[in-house]
Amino acid sequence: MRAAAVAAGRPAPGAARPAPVRWAAPRELRPTYDAVIAGAGVQGLALAYELTKRRFGRIAVLDAGWPGCGASGANGEMIRSAFGSPEWDRFFQHSLCRWQVLSAELRFNVLFTRAGYLILALDDDELPDMRVNTLRHPHHGIRSRLLDAERARRLIPAAAPEVVRGGVYQADAGFAHHDAVVWAYGRAAARLGVEVHPFTPVSAVAVDGGRVRGVETGRGRISTPVVVDAAGAGAPAVARLAGVDLPLSSCRLEMLVTESVTPFLRPAVSVPGLRAYCHQTSRGEFVGGTELPRADVTDRRGVTWSMLVDMARTFTTLFPCLAGLRVLRHWSGLVSQTPDLSPILGPVAGIDGFFLDCGWVYGFMGAPAAGDLLAEAIASGRPADVLKPFLLDRFSSGRLIREGSLVVTAETGP
Amino acid sequence: MRRTTVICLCHDVTEDDVARAIAQGYGHLETLKRYTGAMMGPCQGRMCRAALTAVYAELTGCDPPAAEQPSSRPPAIPVRLGVIAAAARDDDRQAS
Amino acid sequence: MSAARPPDARDADATCRPGRAAPTLDGEVAGFTLRLEGRTIPARPGDSIAAALLAADVRVFGRSFKHHRPRGYHCGRGHCGCCAMRVDGLPGVRTCVTPARPGMHVVREHAWPSAERDLLRVLGLLSPLTPAGFYYRRFTRSAWLFGRWERLLAHLAGHGRPPTPAAAGALLAAPPARTVTPDVLVVGGGAAGMSAAVTAAAGGAKTILLEAHDRLGGDGAADPPDSPLSRLRAEAATQPGLHVLTRHTAVGLWQDGPVFVEHEGGALLVRCPRIVFATGCVDDRLLFPGCDMPGVVLGHGVVRLIDRHRVPPGRTAVVVTDRPFGYVVAERLRDAGVEVRAIADHRVHPDGREASAGRTHADGPGGRRRIADPTVGTRAPVLAGYTVAEARGRCEVRDVRLLPLAVGRARARRDAVRIACDTLCVALGEHPDDSLFATSWARSPKHPAIVPRDGAATCLGVVADGVRAWVAGGAAGARTFAEAAAGGREAGLAAACADP
């Protein structure tokens, strides 16, 4: 392989394996922590950082794999706050404000690119709802504009003109780099004393007398008064360990990336009418995904030909020049989604000290707000108003959130 | 010299880049790949996975276990979106 | 450079071409032309675009993505992407495996003003300031500055322009794929693939054999009809129940079962319960400063260029190797009129007679040739125990520096050898090409690396819904023709007899 390697022979066996990242280096698990977070993805690490920023005490983040190996390392990277419901508007605007200062605060560039974000209308029927949304947005500090067909076509000239009927455009939104965000939060948290333990799955959650006592892992038992379930696709299983049944379905989303070409698409584009989302990265690659009308309810992580066909047809319909671009890779990720596609955040009634940070389908863009608000809720004992619509009790009280401008389908039935 | 020894031809990832990344703590092939961009170009690691593994083994002193090799995903050979769209033109959108 | 006739050539116009189209039997120039940017390039039927360009002395095929380093013909098998150019409005066309057609318009992108004189090479000179990942540590404090920087980066990035509407439209107008449902699919038409396909069909299975290139038999040259390879090829052509599809490339296997096959005349979707992967190998590279320059060519790339296209990779060459295959490459080069100036052999005691310690083609095509004496036939000095330390040149290789392996610094300077040449052939080992079947979901604790690599056929088990697979040949680690053929037979038998 390499001349010097050939000369030197194989390395000495038994050398200690480096950790996947320096801030998740192997170390002893302590017997007690002030908080244990299950899941070292973007949600768990953002929360750990925010908690430790508030001097909450000693925090451990545990993950069955390596940090960011789940949906955090496989998502579409898009960020916006112009949504279709006041709950999502407020929450994600809080997140967008955090995104804007994240690189400076974490001292690591998460590559948040303010390329703009267009929610595209394929049909004139979609425009009235979009108008209502844009009228509501300024109330929550969101700067969005309703574009007519002509203006939208000028914004994305590579799109086929006949599919562009208008849309909602948010100029200060865009996309970031998914791995960079995980690394940024992880490094910052570790710098402040958080311990990240990869390859350490939670095997039991001890609940006694209506309060959390600790967790068990393959490497030992931890006693802690606070346990947070931020385990992404694994969240239902962790919750069940604590005796909580969550209304979550494990769904698979598939995406693709093409070869790199010179810029032809500036804003991130989301097309609710086709359940499609895409953007062109700073490296020139086109990245996007679609979903069929019925969600792919599974816990398998392979990729299917039928989804590739759907993505190819959808993207070549939207952007005809894409027909000539080569697909380099087609991957999938798992999300645990709720019936109303909104995350489940905050405490669980009846189990003191057990908190939820799961059920995300737009978890990447929501992580900065979720970390901040949940940390505040855990530290002060009071969830903020912005957080309250997302509590678990909304399912029993019937106060589901109606968010209509998503590209994910809630249809999970047969 | 390490700056002109190119490991990943697609993204110009040199031996110097890999050494720096390992020094900064990206210690698994998967995180190394994501940080440097190696194996993420059009060849998807066909030309550089073996080289990256060898340099990694040399610099860290240990062989990465087989289970931790970055995985393959289709297409094994890049294929144009138009070829797929045309190929499946007669299928229903609601494929099984 | 004189144009020498390869000794075992079958066609009359088998002369290698130092830059002009060769005459046919009738003495007329049977060629057509391509356009490369402003130039007219002669080509012959059967040429790949890359071969036609090399024959016209075009050696710089493009510039690299980040540092704008010159790149040229490298692997010759469509793996490395160094030969990718814009052809008729489509970016990223792998010219080494794409047949040349009359009137093609070829453009080398990502360089300005030209691939040979690229001013953006200055980005490469700035490389000490821009190591991989440097952008994570820059512009963290000023969002505005980062925004400007990101726009600049986006315009510098991109390895080609987007496809033209006409080219994209032509792809969308192709006919829909045919679905075929054989009992057994064999991917790869080398020794193992042919054996597996013949055995499976003989065992009663309706079998399809896919081969990406225009003929079965791997990278062998025209070989005599009595060689084992030719016999196998003849069997494959006449075996009842076996359908051989050449120029059909298996693009991928998806979890819901289908194998998508690309073919110029129309794609195929293969849905079948049993697959034998005989996908062969990828050449190993050697890492040294300058290992990516035009002129550095991998062993099988050289063999393919000379055998299939009758084009030499250059005029003067150095071969670096550690096995008999390197001497096969050297002999091919010499037969093609290339002056082989040295063979750097990693082994301290090179012995060309070690026919078993090498790859299938170390035996020569059809398994019949043996190299008796490493220097006879090449007449090049063999530097035993030497390797390449550096390849130097501005736009292509100008000279290489060879060093003894495993030496201290002081000795290194004394024993270094500098040889002027324009081609460096790296003929080291190979590793299995597992990209089709080593998918994330096909892995299991039993097969974490997918294949044990001991040469025998391996059962992979279930690799997709309703699909069981086997691996044989070079992709399973086979090292000789005999091993590959035996592994293929075993896999073919298992596939034919397996329960549906």
Side-chain angles (χ1 to χ4, degrees):
Chain A
M1 230 339 75
R2 218 268 287 248
V6 168
R10 305 304 296 147
R17 284 239 45 225
V21 279
R22 170 170 294 142
W23 42 270
R27 64 175 90 185
E28 283 297 308
L29 212 52
R30 293 173 199 272
T32 64
Y33 288 93
D34 296 295
V36 168
I37 301 171
V42 67
Q43 292 289 339
L45 292 172
L47 177 60
Y49 168 73
E50 296 287 351
L51 269 177
T52 199
K53 216 171 78 175
R54 290 164 169 79
R55 301 181 201 285
F56 191 73
R58 195 155 269 151
I59 299 164
V61 185
L62 311 179
D63 199 294
W66 44 274
C69 66
S72 297
N75 61 66
E77 308 186 318
M78 289 159 54
I79 298 165
R80 62 159 150 148
S81 63
F83 279 101
S85 65
E87 297 91 342
W88 280 60
D89 285 347
R90 274 198 300 268
F91 187 94
F92 285 91
Q93 179 58 17
H94 184 97
S95 212
L96 187 62
C97 293
R98 292 288 298 140
W99 274 109
Q100 280 156 1
V101 301
L102 213 55
S103 296
E105 184 177 321
L106 301 179
R107 285 147 55 187
F108 192 93
N109 203 330
V110 302
L111 308 182
F112 172 50
T113 303
R114 271 176 202 67
Y117 196 122
L118 175 69
I119 301 122
L120 188 63
L122 292 179
D123 214 273
D124 290 338
D125 297 343
E126 299 178 61
L127 294 172
D129 278 344
M130 288 185 168
R131 164 164 288 116
V132 166
N133 291 336
T134 51
L135 292 173
R136 189 189 61 246
H137 286 156
H139 186 57
H140 300 127
I142 298 169
R143 290 203 312 246
S144 66
R145 274 174 26 219
L146 183 70
L147 299 183
D148 60 17
E150 183 51 45
R151 285 207 181 83
R153 284 176 199 140
R154 273 209 299 271
L155 189 63
I156 46 172
E162 63 272 12
V163 304
V164 179
R165 299 306 305 158
V168 177
Y169 177 62
Q170 189 178 12
D172 54 359
F175 47 85
H177 181 59
H178 55 275
D179 295 316
V181 183
V182 170
W183 298 332
Y185 268 124
R187 283 164 44 109
R191 233 186 349 250
L192 296 176
V194 169
E195 290 181 18
V196 181
H197 294 266
F199 310 111
T200 310
V202 169
S203 53
V205 177
V207 175
D208 185 30
R211 79 170 356 261
V212 155
R213 302 292 172 188
V215 299
E216 265 182 58
T217 74
R219 292 168 53 206
R221 185 171 293 179
I222 301 171
S223 118
T224 178
V226 171
V227 171
V228 183
D229 181 0
V238 171
R240 237 173 276 124
L241 293 175
V244 180
D245 242 320
L246 297 175
L248 294 175
S249 309
S250 172
C251 295
R252 175 171 61 184
L253 296 168
E254 299 185 37
M255 298 188 64
L256 57 78
V257 63
T258 69
E259 61 186 318
S260 155
V261 287
T262 52
F264 69 93
L265 179 67
R266 181 67 189 150
V269 176
S270 187
V271 192
L274 286 174
R275 292 167 305 277
Y277 52 97
C278 56
H279 74 288
Q280 188 180 14
T281 67
S282 306
R283 207 157 59 184
E285 301 144 334
F286 177 87
V287 179
T290 66
E291 205 182 354
L292 294 176
R294 189 140 281 138
D296 186 7
V297 179
T298 178
D299 56 3
R300 300 166 77 197
R301 269 200 75 175
V303 285
T304 59
W305 171 253
S306 53
M307 277 315 304
L308 184 65
V309 163
D310 190 61
M311 288 192 281
R313 294 213 282 223
T314 306
F315 290 133
T316 52
T317 303
L318 281 171
F319 302 102
C321 70
L322 281 180
L325 283 193
R326 297 177 296 160
V327 179
L328 299 189
R329 196 169 175 93
H330 171 199
W331 69 92
S332 68
L334 294 176
V335 293
S336 297
Q337 65 182 54
T338 55
D340 62 356
L341 300 176
S342 301
I344 310 178
L345 304 174
V348 176
I351 307 182
D352 281 344
F354 189 59
F355 294 84
L356 299 172
D357 182 5
C358 55
W360 287 98
V361 291
Y362 278 47
F364 176 72
M365 67 175 85
D372 186 33
L373 295 167
L374 261 179
E376 193 54 46
I378 293 172
S380 69
R382 284 185 314 278
D385 284 343
V386 184
L387 203 59
K388 283 186 183 150
F390 300 97
L391 292 171
L392 177 62
D393 62 11
R394 73 179 189 270
F395 296 104
S396 48
S397 62
R399 285 191 321 271
L400 298 184
I401 299 172
R402 284 182 356 188
E403 171 49 59
S405 103
L406 305 184
V407 296
V408 189
T409 178
E411 280 297 319
T412 54
Chain B
M1 279 317 188
R2 291 205 298 199
R3 274 207 294 277
T4 50
T5 304
V6 177
I7 292 180
C8 169
L9 297 170
C10 298
H11 285 159
D12 271 345
V13 178
T14 62
E15 203 184 325
D16 185 56
D17 293 331
V18 174
R20 279 171 194 255
I22 292 175
Q24 279 162 22
Y26 296 90
H28 278 196
L29 278 178
E30 184 67 39
T31 47
L32 199 59
K33 165 190 135 186
R34 286 162 184 254
Y35 183 77
T36 60
M39 297 183 59
M40 294 176 79
C43 87
Q44 288 289 296
R46 232 201 213 90
M47 300 305 290
C48 60
R49 175 160 52 126
L52 187 67
T53 307
V55 172
Y56 172 91
E58 197 189 311
L59 291 174
T60 60
C62 50
D63 279 326
E68 279 178 24
Q69 287 275 338
S71 56
S72 272
R73 299 205 199 276
I77 294 169
V79 57
R80 297 185 196 268
L81 278 170
V83 170
I84 299 169
R89 192 161 49 230
D90 289 346
D91 295 355
D92 263 339
R93 190 175 180 209
Q94 278 252 28
S96 56
Chain C
M1 178 191 77
S2 61
R5 188 174 289 273
D8 49 338
R10 287 286 170 274
D11 9 343
D13 61 348
T15 49
C16 285
R17 303 168 293 151
R20 52 182 169 74
T24 61
L25 282 169
D26 305 325
E28 283 170 21
V29 171
F32 52 90
T33 58
L34 316 172
R35 289 181 57 70
L36 173 72
E37 291 137 25
R39 284 171 64 176
T40 303
I41 306 283
R44 280 188 313 183
D47 274 355
S48 64
I49 300 173
L53 292 177
L54 280 173
D57 230 5
V58 175
R59 301 193 90 218
V60 178
F61 280 6
R63 292 280 171 163
S64 69
F65 181 77
K66 188 175 168 196
H67 294 148
H68 286 255
R69 296 172 63 80
R71 293 277 164 81
Y73 184 85
H74 187 60
C75 75
R77 293 162 118 180
H79 292 155
C80 71
C82 292
C83 65
M85 301 181 196
R86 186 181 189 80
V87 176
D88 289 342
L90 282 181
V93 175
R94 298 170 296 152
T95 55
C96 67
V97 292
T98 304
R101 299 260 181 268
M104 264 180 166
H105 189 204
V106 179
V107 178
R108 293 167 298 177
E109 301 191 275
H110 200 58
W112 185 83
S114 72
E116 278 90 1
R117 274 192 162 66
D118 182 13
L119 294 180
L120 294 169
R121 181 76 178 96
V122 71
L123 295 172
L125 300 176
L126 294 174
S127 67
L129 301 173
T130 60
F134 76 96
Y135 30 81
Y136 298 122
R137 289 160 205 289
R138 299 272 179 279
F139 307 114
T140 52
R141 275 194 288 269
S142 166
W144 181 85
L145 212 55
F146 172 67
R148 301 290 97 211
W149 160 253
E150 186 272 329
R151 286 303 287 248
L152 176 66
L153 215 60
H155 278 95
L156 290 175
H159 212 198
R161 282 166 295 129
T164 57
L171 288 173
L172 287 170
R178 284 184 301 133
T179 302
V180 293
T181 52
D183 298 322
V184 173
L185 174 72
V186 180
V187 181
M194 288 193 286
S195 297
V198 164
T199 311
K206 204 171 56 157
T207 307
I208 288 181
L209 172 60
L210 297 176
E211 168 52 51
H213 298 291
D214 54 5
R215 51 183 299 181
L216 297 175
D219 283 318
D223 35 80
D226 58 335
S227 73
L229 197 73
S230 290
R231 279 203 298 273
L232 200 45
R233 199 183 283 132
E235 274 183 68
T238 54
Q239 174 67 43
L242 171 57
H243 196 187
V244 177
L245 295 173
T246 52
R247 294 193 212 261
H248 280 68
T249 306
V251 160
L253 168 68
W254 276 264
Q255 192 178 40
D256 49 348
V259 174
F260 182 65
V261 179
E262 220 182 329
H263 170 60
E264 232 177 308
L268 282 188
L269 208 57
V270 182
R271 292 188 186 271
C272 80
R274 302 187 291 278
I275 304 181
V276 176
F277 290 103
T279 45
C281 294
V282 179
D283 282 306
D284 279 343
R285 290 170 56 209
L286 187 65
L287 298 179
F288 51 87
C291 62
D292 62 325
M293 290 174 67
V296 179
V297 192
L298 300 180
H300 284 91
V302 173
V303 169
R304 187 169 283 204
L305 193 59
I306 293 173
D307 289 355
R308 287 168 192 259
H309 302 297
R310 302 293 185 226
V311 175
R315 291 173 170 73
T316 53
V318 167
V319 177
V320 57
T321 186
D322 62 356
R323 56 198 61 211
F325 175 56
Y327 295 85
V328 171
V329 172
E331 206 173 307
R332 287 280 208 292
L333 285 168
R334 187 193 151 268
D335 292 342
V338 178
E339 184 196 342
V340 180
R341 295 217 166 134
I343 300 175
D345 195 320
H346 287 179
R347 299 169 295 179
V348 174
H349 301 290
D351 179 1
R353 278 168 288 218
E354 292 168 1
S356 60
R359 277 287 301 128
T360 308
H361 299 293
D363 305 341
R368 78 181 155 77
R369 193 189 294 179
R370 295 282 183 271
I371 315 293
D373 177 334
T375 58
V376 162
T378 64
R379 281 190 242 117
V382 175
L383 298 166
Y386 272 70
T387 187
V388 178
E390 190 187 0
R392 295 194 320 174
R394 203 176 64 85
C395 250
E396 53 182 302
V397 174
R398 288 265 183 268
D399 61 44
V400 297
R401 189 162 65 99
L402 306 176
L403 273 187
L405 283 167
V407 288
R409 261 188 172 267
R411 267 199 70 199
R413 237 165 304 187
R414 214 171 46 229
D415 294 333
V417 175
R418 197 175 279 288
I419 301 180
C421 63
D422 67 7
T423 305
L424 173 64
C425 300
V426 175
L428 299 175
E430 293 180 282
H431 53 276
D433 185 359
D434 58 6
S435 47
L436 260 181
F437 51 85
T439 51
S440 55
W441 64 86
R443 288 183 171 188
S444 62
K446 186 165 158 246
H447 296 295
I450 298 300
V451 180
R453 313 217 172 141
D454 60 2
T458 308
C459 176
L460 297 177
V462 175
V463 292
D465 293 346
V467 180
R468 289 177 62 195
W470 291 259
V471 189
R479 306 184 75 73
T480 63
F481 175 89
E483 241 185 314
R489 272 195 299 278
E490 198 188 320
L493 196 62
C497 300
D499 294 331

